[in-house]
Amino acid sequence: DNRDESRNRDESHESAELDGKACSDAEVLESRLLEHCSRQGLPADNIVKEVYSIISSSKPEIESVLFDLLGFEAFELISSLISHRTMMALHVQAMRTESLPSARSSRQAFSAGFNITSSSEQQQLKLQRREDKKRRKEEIDQAGWLISQGVDPLSVRTRRDEDSERASGDRKTTFDGSVAGFAGISKVQLPAGTKRVMYKKDNYEEITVPAVTPAKPRTSERLIPVTEFSAFCQPAFEGMKSLNRVQSIVFPVAYQTGNNMLVCAPTGAGKTECAMMTVLQCIERHIERGVLKSEEFKIVYVAPMKALAAEVTEKFSKRLGKLGLVVKELTGDMQLSRREITDTHMLVVTPEKWDVITRKSSDAALTDLVKLLIIDEIHLLNEDRGAVLEAIVARTLRQVERSQTMIRIVGLSATLPTYKDVAVFLRVNIDRDLFYFDNS
């Protein structure tokens, strides 16, 4: 009996030593896992829970799941986790059976093993892994391109991180406390003179923003009268005596040159008239001895939506019809015969429709006639449909290079912070043909 009792004590002591060693090694791996989450900016608590859930599961193949969760940067850590899978499982089981309140509170984040995450948390983690996987793929592709250009990717990333840290030091928050980071904006604050009143009883805050004081006209600035347009174009401005301030500033480039142009102005500033001036300039270029050479050109107006395309078609048809010009809508729901397209001077299309037309070699006869491409709401480059607009512009620029013929590109946009980048993309001369107007 004494021998059996001694043997049991030895086995118990040996088991306690093994459990202590397993716990110690598991804690080391846990600390490495937390450090990896900190470096990669991952949610540490959720990631650790998910790792313990994967390790505690009965699935034989967990390597690919861990790579999706932690990334290929954690190769050595994942190898250690897999090689010590049994030890980590014992560690999880030991944490579940701990009875001391202090121990339970210190291990609360990990004590439930694979049952600790709810379905919503698992879905969130799944989305997070998907985004991280996509981001890592983009970084790999970017690094490959940089290497092909003879640039060190590590130095580029270091400079980018330094710029980000420097910008975050100066970053202010909006009135609701959220950080302003959209499109590279580093400072966002309410204008001077803003009044804020908190109604505690009704639990809401009233913010009164003062009206913007109009900027003073420059000494050289004047409103352009309609009479400065040619006699042929003046009927298109029936009922108007002069252009407004925005239109008058744009007039020299829009009507008197054929340069690519980008106009960024708030809604209601009169960007449609700016587009009208470029249309009239294109038409006048194809008038010879008082005769319009309709077979030599086409004008394409890209509207973001079918509803807006119908509105633009109606508006331009009414005004250009006085000049004997034909404007037609060409969207997914409307088809035009070849004869109708031949007789049409201006086509109003959606981005998707024009993308399809420019892809088809059978429509090359139409695309080769385009002399003016107007893209409304060009700031949608930053939205889901931005890839379509980008393809349209890139294809047009390629056509210019291939055919050595001029196609004027005009971008119209609401105010956007990255207007210079958009101007460069459209091949616009920033110093001369870029116009940016704020609310003043």
Side-chain angles (χ1 to χ4, degrees):
D1 292 340
N2 291 334
R3 286 196 301 271
D4 292 340
E5 185 177 347
S6 176
R7 190 186 311 110
N8 290 336
R9 280 200 305 268
D10 292 341
E11 289 177 353
S12 176
H13 180 69
E14 183 179 355
S15 176
E17 286 182 348
L18 289 174
D19 289 344
K21 184 177 186 304
C23 181
S24 176
D25 291 343
E27 288 177 348
V28 171
L29 286 175
E30 182 181 308
S31 64
R32 288 176 59 190
L33 180 59
L34 292 172
E35 289 176 3
H36 174 75
C37 293
S38 177
R39 286 196 305 270
Q40 298 297 323
L42 300 174
D45 290 344
N46 291 337
I47 292 294
V48 173
K49 293 174 190 175
E50 186 72 8
V51 169
Y52 278 167
S53 172
I54 295 169
I55 290 175
S56 302
S57 68
S58 58
K59 297 178 181 179
E61 298 294 335
I62 63 172
E63 183 176 354
S64 61
V65 180
L66 289 174
F67 273 119
D68 286 341
L69 180 65
L70 302 176
F72 289 95
E73 300 89 346
F75 178 80
E76 294 183 0
L77 175 60
I78 292 173
S79 299
S80 300
L81 289 171
I82 293 175
S83 61
H84 297 84
R85 182 178 181 181
T86 304
M87 179 191 67
M88 297 294 290
L90 291 172
H91 179 51
V92 173
Q93 185 177 3
M95 288 191 297
R96 291 179 187 169
T97 58
E98 286 179 352
S99 58
L100 292 176
S102 60
R104 284 202 302 270
S105 62
S106 64
R107 301 289 184 180
Q108 187 175 4
F110 319 110
S111 61
F114 58 88
N115 292 323
I116 199 166
T117 56
S118 64
S119 59
S120 60
E121 290 175 332
Q122 290 175 354
Q123 183 67 18
Q124 184 178 2
L125 283 170
K126 186 176 180 181
L127 294 175
Q128 179 70 32
R129 289 198 302 268
R130 189 179 301 168
E131 290 296 324
D132 292 340
K133 188 175 182 181
K134 180 180 178 182
R135 176 181 56 81
R136 287 192 294 270
K137 183 179 183 302
E138 291 175 350
E139 288 180 351
I140 292 172
D141 292 342
Q142 184 184 35
W145 182 83
L146 289 172
I147 292 173
S148 68
Q149 301 296 317
V151 181
D152 181 15
L154 183 60
S155 63
V156 173
R157 183 169 185 175
T158 302
R159 287 199 304 270
R160 184 177 61 192
D161 293 342
E162 290 174 353
D163 292 341
S164 177
E165 292 177 1
R166 194 159 46 245
S168 63
D170 298 332
R171 185 170 295 168
K172 298 184 178 181
T173 59
T174 56
F175 59 87
D176 62 352
S178 60
V179 176
F182 171 73
I185 302 174
S186 60
K187 294 183 180 180
V188 173
Q189 56 187 342
L190 291 168
T194 299
K195 296 181 180 179
R196 306 175 62 163
V197 180
M198 185 68 190
Y199 295 90
K200 295 184 179 179
K201 182 178 179 181
D202 298 323
N203 194 27
Y204 76 92
E205 184 179 13
E206 181 180 280
I207 301 175
T208 305
V209 179
V212 178
T213 304
K216 295 182 179 180
R218 292 172 292 187
T219 55
S220 60
E221 187 177 328
R222 68 183 181 92
L223 299 182
I224 303 295
V226 173
T227 54
E228 293 201 14
F229 290 92
S230 67
F232 174 80
C233 297
Q234 288 181 23
F237 297 96
E238 185 178 355
M240 294 176 57
K241 293 183 178 179
S242 65
L243 305 177
N244 66 19
R245 289 184 64 186
V246 170
Q247 297 156 6
S248 298
I249 293 173
V250 173
F251 172 80
V253 174
Y255 182 68
Q256 297 177 342
T257 74
N259 303 334
N260 290 356
M261 181 177 70
L262 174 62
V263 180
C264 303
T267 303
K271 295 190 290 291
T272 303
E273 301 299 330
C274 298
M276 177 62 76
M277 286 188 279
T278 62
V279 170
L280 295 175
Q281 189 273 341
C282 180
I283 294 170
E284 286 194 332
R285 275 196 302 143
H286 295 88
I287 295 178
E288 186 177 337
R289 297 179 181 178
V291 178
L292 180 63
K293 303 290 186 179
S294 301
E295 70 282 357
E296 293 182 356
F297 74 97
K298 286 287 184 286
I299 299 170
V300 176
Y301 190 110
V302 181
M305 299 177 295
K306 287 191 294 184
L308 187 57
E311 181 182 336
V312 170
T313 303
E314 181 182 359
K315 186 179 296 184
F316 276 81
S317 294
K318 183 178 179 181
R319 298 177 62 179
L320 294 178
K322 300 173 184 178
L323 308 181
L325 303 176
V326 180
V327 181
K328 292 284 187 179
E329 177 185 351
L330 183 59
T331 59
D333 296 337
M334 302 186 66
Q335 299 295 331
L336 299 177
S337 64
R338 290 191 177 275
R339 180 64 181 176
E340 287 178 314
I341 292 177
T342 302
D343 295 338
T344 301
H345 300 91
M346 178 174 173
L347 292 170
V348 182
V349 301
T350 56
E352 290 76 13
K353 184 66 175 181
W354 191 244
D355 181 43
V356 171
I357 292 175
T358 53
R359 286 177 185 271
K360 294 165 61 178
S361 58
S362 59
D363 291 324
L366 170 60
T367 56
D368 288 344
L369 289 176
V370 175
K371 302 302 178 186
L372 172 61
L373 177 65
I374 302 172
I375 304 178
D376 200 358
E377 308 293 348
I378 191 69
H379 57 269
L380 294 179
L381 278 168
N382 192 44
E383 304 297 332
D384 294 337
R385 300 164 69 195
V388 180
L389 290 176
E390 185 177 349
I392 290 172
V393 174
R395 211 170 288 129
T396 303
L397 295 173
R398 175 58 182 164
Q399 183 180 341
V400 171
E401 295 176 357
R402 175 179 56 82
S403 62
Q404 293 297 305
T405 57
M406 178 62 187
I407 302 177
R408 187 181 193 184
I409 301 177
V410 175
L412 305 177
S413 170
T415 53
L416 73 165
T418 55
Y419 57 93
K420 289 186 178 180
D421 294 333
V422 176
V424 171
F425 174 63
L426 297 179
R427 304 298 190 270
V428 171
N429 187 309
I430 295 178
D431 299 325
R432 183 186 61 206
D433 305 322
L434 169 61
F435 299 92
Y436 180 84
F437 303 93
D438 57 20
N439 289 320
S440 63

